[in-house]
């Protein structure tokens, strides 16, 4: 993958997408700065492209997959915790929107669900005092598509620990957060 092909998706992220992902005016400047910094670094840009492709490939696969994120990814880039996963989640966001839209989810439910990205960044800022993403693995789960926010409640498709069959998989249930 060439540097240009990695940098383009990061530089071309529209403000409307960032808004749908919960990146409001308070986070817009640091998010844009982060995307530019990741795009300018060949290794960070390549890892972002790799993670974004991995996130896209897992949409609709809710169970039995280990995280794509390494300790290096979570540690940060340029002093920003979770910088590369954050950039990759943003780049993969439209694919998640398309998946849910194809299932008939209303646009407002999709936006409410994916706006958890902005909430998690704000949470990281509140806890650490620095811009970043401390809960990338939580968002990775949401990006798979087995999770939705309806009003103030969040619902996750999961397997029950009760009544596990011989294969070890319980019935599908909705876990409420």
């Amino acid at each position: 993958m060439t540097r240009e092909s990695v940098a383009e998706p990061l530089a071309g992220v529209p403000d409307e997408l960032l808004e749908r992902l919960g990146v409001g005016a308070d986070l817009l400047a640091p998010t844009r700065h982060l995307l530019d910094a990741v795009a300018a670094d060949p290794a960070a840009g390549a890892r972002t492209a790799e993670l974004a492709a991995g996130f896209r490939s897992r949409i609709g696969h809710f169970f039995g997959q280990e995280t794509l994120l390494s300790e290096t990814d979570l540690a940060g880039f340029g002093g920003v915790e979770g910088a590369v996963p954050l950039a990759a989640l943003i780049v993969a966001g439209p694919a998640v929107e398309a998946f849910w839209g194809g299932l008939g989810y209303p646009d407002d439910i999709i936006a409410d669900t994916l706006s958890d990205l902005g909430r998690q960044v704000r949470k990281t800022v509140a806890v650490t005092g620095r811009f970043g993403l401390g809960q990338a693995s939580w968002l990775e789960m949401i990006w798979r598509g087995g999770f939705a926010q309806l009003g103030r409640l969040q619902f996750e498709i999961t397997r029950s620990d009760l009544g596990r069959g011989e294969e070890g998989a319980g019935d599908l249930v909705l876990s409420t957060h």
Side-chain angles (χ1 to χ4, degrees):
M1 180 170 287
T2 66
R3 186 184 176 299
E4 292 77 23
S5 64
V6 171
E8 182 190 327
L10 295 173
V13 172
D15 286 350
E16 296 79 20
L17 172 61
L18 293 174
E19 288 175 26
R20 291 192 309 272
L21 299 179
V23 176
D26 60 323
L27 298 175
L28 189 58
T31 302
R32 287 268 175 230
H33 182 265
L34 169 80
L35 294 173
D36 291 344
V38 169
D41 183 275
R47 181 64 179 149
T48 297
E50 180 182 352
L51 284 174
F55 293 151
R56 285 187 206 103
S57 74
R58 290 178 171 205
I59 296 170
H61 302 279
F62 313 135
F63 307 109
Q65 300 201 13
E66 305 247 342
T67 183
L68 293 170
L69 303 170
S70 70
E71 289 299 318
T72 303
D73 296 327
L74 299 175
F77 164 79
V80 177
E81 178 182 5
V84 170
L86 176 57
L89 289 161
I90 291 169
V91 170
V96 180
E97 290 177 318
F99 171 76
W100 282 346
L103 293 177
Y105 280 62
D107 290 343
D108 60 332
I109 300 293
I110 296 169
D112 285 350
T113 302
L114 297 184
S115 71
D116 208 42
L117 184 140
R119 278 192 295 277
Q120 295 302 323
V121 171
R122 285 181 189 86
K123 185 174 161 183
T124 300
V125 171
V127 170
T128 68
R130 295 182 313 275
F131 178 82
L133 178 61
Q135 294 295 320
S137 59
W138 170 257
L139 290 168
E140 179 183 13
M141 181 270 304
I142 293 172
W143 258 232
R144 289 182 186 172
F147 187 97
Q149 181 164 328
L150 304 170
R152 293 183 57 193
L153 296 176
Q154 297 174 317
F155 298 90
E156 174 188 2
I157 297 172
T158 188
R159 295 228 179 248
S160 172
D161 288 337
L162 303 174
R164 289 183 181 244
E166 290 180 21
E167 295 85 36
D171 293 332
L172 291 177
V173 296
L174 282 178
S175 176
T176 306
H177 301 270

